[in-house]
């Protein structure tokens, strides 16, 4: 079994946000109308939920769906580094450079 990058990001974010909210897997499952096994599988990165379930989970956790699926830089220095690399790449690719 291989774990897709998207599955891994979702798994990490789901577990992190759920524990930040001090919810158990069973509590989240009940509130979102899914099985506890589904939550376990999603947090282990075995699979990701369908969009409707992901939206319900985001609502229950009080977060945006982006918070669950979008990989954000861990620190401001990483964000600045990514922006600098992107600017350098864009400048190098520009016909006006």
């Amino acid at each position: 079994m291989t774990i897709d990058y998207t599955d891994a990001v979702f798994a990490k974010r789901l577990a992190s946000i759920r524990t930040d909210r001090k919810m158990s897997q069973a509590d989240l499952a009940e509130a979102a109308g899914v099985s506890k096994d589904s939550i376990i599988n999603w947090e282990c990165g075995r699979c990701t939920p369908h969009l409707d379930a992901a939206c319900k989970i985001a609502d229950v956790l009080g977060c945006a769906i982006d918070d669950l699926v979008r990989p954000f830089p861990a620190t401001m220095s990483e964000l600045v580094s990514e922006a600098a690399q992107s600017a350098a790449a864009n400048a190098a690719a520009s016909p006006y450079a």
Side-chain angles (χ1 to χ4, degrees), residues 6 14 16 18-19 23 26 31 36-37 40 42 44 50 52-53 58 60 62 75 78 97:
T6 304
L14 176 59
S16 175
R18 178 185 58 76
T19 56
M23 291 185 80
K36 181 181 171 187
D37 286 341
I40 291 168
W42 298 334
C44 290
H50 291 282
D52 58 336
V60 169
T75 65
E78 289 178 19

Side-chain angles (χ1 to χ4, degrees):
M1 175 179 88
T2 58
I3 296 179
D4 177 290
Y5 177 74
T6 304
D7 294 347
V9 168
F10 183 87
K12 181 178 178 181
R13 300 245 183 256
L14 176 59
S16 175
I17 294 169
R18 178 185 58 76
T19 56
D20 286 350
R21 304 294 193 272
K22 299 187 181 355
M23 291 185 80
S24 69
Q25 290 172 329
D27 292 338
L28 177 57
E30 183 178 340
V34 299
S35 71
K36 181 181 171 187
D37 286 341
S38 292
I39 301 295
I40 291 168
N41 285 328
W42 298 334
E43 287 189 0
C44 290
R46 292 186 188 112
C47 57
T48 53
H50 291 282
L51 186 56
D52 58 336
C55 289
K56 179 65 177 171
I57 289 166
D59 287 344
V60 169
L61 293 174
C63 67
I65 190 100
D66 276 5
D67 295 333
L68 293 169
V69 298
R70 186 177 298 230
F72 292 109
T75 65
M76 184 55 108
S77 62
E78 289 178 19
L79 182 61
V80 170
S81 176
E82 285 182 9
Q85 289 172 357
S86 178
N90 290 339
S94 172
Y96 305 107

